[in-house]
Amino acid sequence: MTRIDRRSFVAGASMMLLARPAHAARTVTDSAGRTVTLPDRIDHVFAAGGPASVVVYAVRPETMVGWPRALRAEERPFIAPAQRDLPEIGLLTGRGDTANVETVLKMKPDLIVDYGSVRQTFATLADSVQQRTGIPYVLIDGRFEASSSSFRLLGNIFGVPERGEALATYSDDLFKNLDTTLKGIPEEQRPRVYLARGPDGLETGLKGSINTEIIERAGGRNVADAQDQRRGIANVSPEQILAWNPDVIVTWDRNFHDKLAKGGDPLWQGVKAVKDGRVYLAPTAPFGWIDRPPSINRLIGLRWLANLFHGARFPFDIRQDTRAFYKLFYHVDVTDSDLDTLIAWADGKPPSRPARR
């Protein structure tokens, strides 16, 4: 089985053009403004990357042909049984964007969905893949502010508008409540936040990147502001961390969180967030609450962070709200023990490893 990069995929696909569904019943304008012709029925969907896999699973799970990577043991309890054992099919987009062209074409999807940035780079990729494979490819806006319209668009594409509307309503209510809360909190009173990535905590996301938009949307201020056009992920120095001296540190890396909790690194012990006990570990099952991937999984993280930042001004019942979100978006009734494991994660405790399901 040969893995190839994006350019090779496009070239290879052109030589393996498949016969596509003969009956194309409708067209749709995707978030990039592209007009895409869809088949009468959409029964099989290839998610182009991690963010797309989450939103496809949420809107119409029975169409999924696989996951970008196989689910891990700690993720399986939070995914519906019918989708837990879907195969690993790789990525067309995203970090480490390799795909196996034979596998993609073998799946014979009716549609390819990508979710995230709709910049020209991704629109061009979508056009190229679609032209060379004959498989319709839609690009859906993955920004927070576009959540509601993207849910409705996907609901219409998949032929389940009521499902898209239900998820859009959740999103609308969340952002409305956030706007009401944040309206009364001046910028200078909002916490200064550092997102720590990796085991040493020295990788972060710059202000303005999709990886960290959750900080500003929850009412925090990202200290990693490059003051220029740079976006995305960056490595920073220990001296820069001390200079920023953030009020809050958020991470999903358990090794890094453990290191700070044990007080073994003098660098971090002088940082305000550490001295004040405001270092938070985000849950990561079945998908990250902060990132990884930067998709709709962040909506529950947005509620959690807004409460961490602003307390009673943005109420959040971690048990009740988490159950409701996982039921609506992930199609599971979370058991008490699984919920305890997930919440222990948020409390900074190492979660137990669940029995395989």
Side-chain angles (χ1 to χ4, degrees), residues 82-94:
Q83 281 74 43
R84 286 177 190 165
D85 294 312
L86 290 175
E88 179 172 318
I89 57 177
L91 301 169
L92 291 179
T93 63

Side-chain angles (χ1 to χ4, degrees), residues 46 104 149 156 162 177 198 278 283:
F46 190 102
V104 173
S149 59
N156 288 328
E162 68 289 347
N177 290 336
R278 301 196 70 187

Side-chain angles (χ1 to χ4, degrees), residues 272-280:
K272 184 175 186 299
V274 178
K275 290 191 290 187
D276 292 348
R278 301 196 70 187
V279 181
Y280 301 108

Side-chain angles (χ1 to χ4, degrees), residues 174-190:
L174 170 58
F175 288 115
K176 181 179 178 181
N177 290 336
L178 275 170
D179 290 340
T180 299
T181 298
L182 298 180
K183 190 176 180 180
I185 305 175
E187 181 77 11
E188 64 273 14
Q189 292 182 16
R190 300 181 185 187

